[in-house]
């Protein structure tokens, strides 16, 4: 699986209109999201970037971290600063002051408001892509707001029928047939039309954003040994196999179902552009082992470009100066590359 060429990212990002900024949400205020946004702003970049967050929070976090970052106000339609040490800010106030590492339910709605503003701006053509810093899902739910995750939330806000979560780390891409579900619910969530739709989205978006004319897709089985011919479960026979057969009949290049424990052997992976895992923890542990801290979470199947980090809020690292910004910077790079492919 070929990784994105950094030189291609820079060439395509340079083609973006100066006012077509990438929106960067700062995420959970008590976590490392604000730290990462400030770290990303410390270096020059060839694309315009607008951070959505609370000014007082970002100024406070910059002081704690010893970073000298200017935060000029974002003005829609005006040119956005590219220089290192400066980050255009779309101020979105918090409901309560924030202490690094200390969650506050009062700010849950403000965290979602960042996502809403970024996504709505992208739908309106104000922004060319959305990059999201991590949020604390448990806190949002404890505040009485139903929230499964960025992937599902943004899909609903954009009217996307089926979002497909895919993580990218170097030369490895892993997509998910189901996302944030309890393990006992995965089997019931799988069906032939749904899997076929996921395979179509994978094929179409890999062609559109990565230039793969006919993406080679490897599909994991759900059960150990891909069901052992029905002796260890029949989902492969009832659902996964028929969906693959229909996808092939439509001209898609799909293999499977393949036992997940052998598919991720490097020699078995080599012929494929992407792996489709059946559930969250089937595919992502392998990918995060291969590239944690540098991987990017991409949501396919949306009318907008959205990328994110491969990790959580890391409350214990907030304000410490020890948070690594590699995944966020990679997410911004990839968002710029993908955005340049859109009309």
């Amino acid at each position: 699986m070929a990784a994105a060429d950094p030189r291609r990212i820079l060439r395509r990002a340079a083609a973006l209109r100066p006012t077509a900024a990438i929106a960067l949400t700062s995420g959970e205020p008590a976590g490392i999201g604000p730290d990462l946004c400030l770290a990303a702003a410390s270096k020059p970049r060839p694309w315009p970037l607008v951070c959505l967050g609370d000014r007082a929070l970002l100024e406070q976090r910059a002081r704690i971290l010893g970073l000298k970052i200017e935060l000029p106000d974002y003005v829609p339609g005006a040119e956005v600063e590219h220089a290192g040490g400066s980050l255009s800010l779309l101020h979105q106030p918090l409901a309560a002051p924030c202490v690094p590492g200390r969650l506050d339910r009062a700010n849950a709605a403000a965290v979602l408001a960042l996502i809403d503003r970024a996504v709505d701006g992208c739908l309106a053509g104000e922004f060319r892509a959305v990059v999201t810093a991590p949020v604390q899902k448990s806190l949002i739910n404890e505040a009485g707001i139903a929230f499964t995750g960025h992937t599902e939330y943004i899909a609903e806000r954009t009217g996307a029928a089926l979002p497909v979560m895919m993580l990218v780390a170097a030369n490895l891409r892993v997509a998910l047939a189901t996302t944030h579900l309890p393990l006992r619910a995965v089997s019931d969530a799988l069906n032939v039309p749904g899997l076929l739709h996921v395979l179509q989205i994978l094929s179409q978006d890999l062609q559109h954003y990565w230039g793969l004319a006919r993406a080679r897709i490897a599909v994991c089985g759900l059960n150990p040994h891909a069901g052992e011919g029905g002796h260890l479960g029949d989902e492969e026979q009832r659902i996964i196999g028929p969906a693959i057969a229909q996808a092939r009949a439509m001209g898609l290049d799909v293999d499977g179902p393949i036992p997940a424990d052998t598919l991720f052997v490097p020699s078995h992976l080599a012929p494929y552009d992407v792996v489709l895992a059946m559930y969250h923890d089937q595919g992502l542990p392998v990918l995060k082992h291969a590239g944690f801290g540098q991987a990017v979470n991409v949501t396919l199947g949306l009318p907008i470009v959205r990328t994110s980090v491969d990790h959580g809020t890391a409350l214990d690292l907030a304000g410490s100066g020890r948070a690594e910004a590699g995944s966020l910077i990679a997410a911004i790079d990839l968002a710029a590359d993908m955005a340049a492919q859109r009309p």
Side-chain angles (χ1 to χ4, degrees):
M1 295 182 231
D5 182 349
R7 293 168 296 180
R8 186 162 60 98
I9 289 174
L10 298 183
R11 287 197 299 269
R12 290 176 176 169
L16 297 177
R17 292 179 291 109
T19 55
I22 295 172
L24 171 63
T25 63
S26 52
E28 166 53 49
I32 61 172
D35 306 40
L36 302 182
C37 294
L38 293 166
S42 64
K43 297 179 181 180
R45 50 203 172 271
W47 52 84
L49 188 66
V50 173
C51 181
L52 284 72
D54 182 89
R55 176 175 292 280
L57 166 69
L58 289 166
E59 290 176 343
Q60 176 203 53
R61 200 65 63 87
R63 287 193 300 271
I64 292 173
L65 296 171
L67 296 175
K68 294 182 178 180
I69 305 292
E70 295 181 0
L71 298 169
D73 288 326
Y74 164 65
V75 178
E79 185 170 353
V80 174
E81 183 59 66
H82 292 214
S86 181
L87 180 62
S88 292
L89 176 65
L90 199 170
H91 173 59
Q92 297 280 102
L94 292 173
C98 176
V99 176
R102 188 179 301 170
L103 296 170
D104 191 333
R105 294 179 189 175
N107 286 324
V111 170
L112 293 183
L114 299 177
I115 305 170
D116 294 344
R117 177 64 179 87
V119 169
D120 292 349
C122 210
L123 288 171
E126 177 185 7
F127 302 126
R128 288 294 298 272
V130 176
V131 180
T132 57
V135 299
Q136 190 78 17
K137 288 182 280 189
S138 59
L139 181 77
I140 297 171
N141 283 287
E142 289 168 7
I145 304 169
F147 183 81
T148 307
H150 270 114
T151 300
E152 298 83 358
Y153 187 85
I154 294 174
E156 183 176 357
R157 189 147 190 106
T158 59
L162 181 63
V164 176
M165 183 175 175
M166 183 177 77
L167 267 76
V168 181
N171 63 343
L172 179 61
R173 303 183 189 96
V174 177
L176 304 179
T178 62
T179 52
H180 300 110
L181 291 177
L183 190 55
R184 68 177 64 188
V186 170
S187 179
D188 289 342
L190 296 174
N191 57 74
V192 173
L195 273 181
L196 182 60
H197 194 181
V198 169
L199 290 167
Q200 290 175 297
I201 289 171
L202 271 180
S203 182
Q204 292 166 3
D205 280 9
L206 285 172
Q207 178 179 12
H208 183 74
Y209 292 119
W210 276 267
L212 300 174
R214 193 165 181 258
R216 299 161 297 175
I217 305 170
V219 181
C220 292
L222 173 66
N223 297 293
H225 304 171
E228 286 276 15
H231 295 288
L232 290 176
D234 64 355
E235 287 86 354
E236 288 78 10
Q237 295 170 314
R238 290 189 299 107
I239 301 169
I240 304 172
I244 291 171
Q246 290 189 30
R248 288 174 176 164
M250 297 173 62
L252 276 62
D253 190 347
V254 185
D255 285 341
I258 304 170
D261 64 339
T262 55
L263 174 56
F264 286 101
V265 173
S267 59
H268 293 174
L269 276 177
Y272 300 108
D273 297 305
V274 63
V275 171
L276 177 61
M278 291 297 104
Y279 56 93
H280 188 281
D281 282 14
Q282 183 182 55
L284 297 195
V286 179
L287 184 136
K288 291 188 178 185
H289 175 75
F292 187 73
Q294 300 294 326
V296 179
N297 184 350
V298 184
T299 306
L300 304 178
L302 299 178
I304 65 172
V305 171
R306 182 260 169 167
T307 66
S308 189
V309 294
D310 67 349
H311 55 73
T313 54
L315 298 171
D316 58 320
L317 297 180
S320 71
R322 292 184 287 116
E324 296 288 341
S327 181
L328 182 68
I329 293 171
I332 296 169
D333 287 345
L334 183 55
D337 189 33
M338 293 174 66
Q341 303 303 314
R342 297 186 69 84

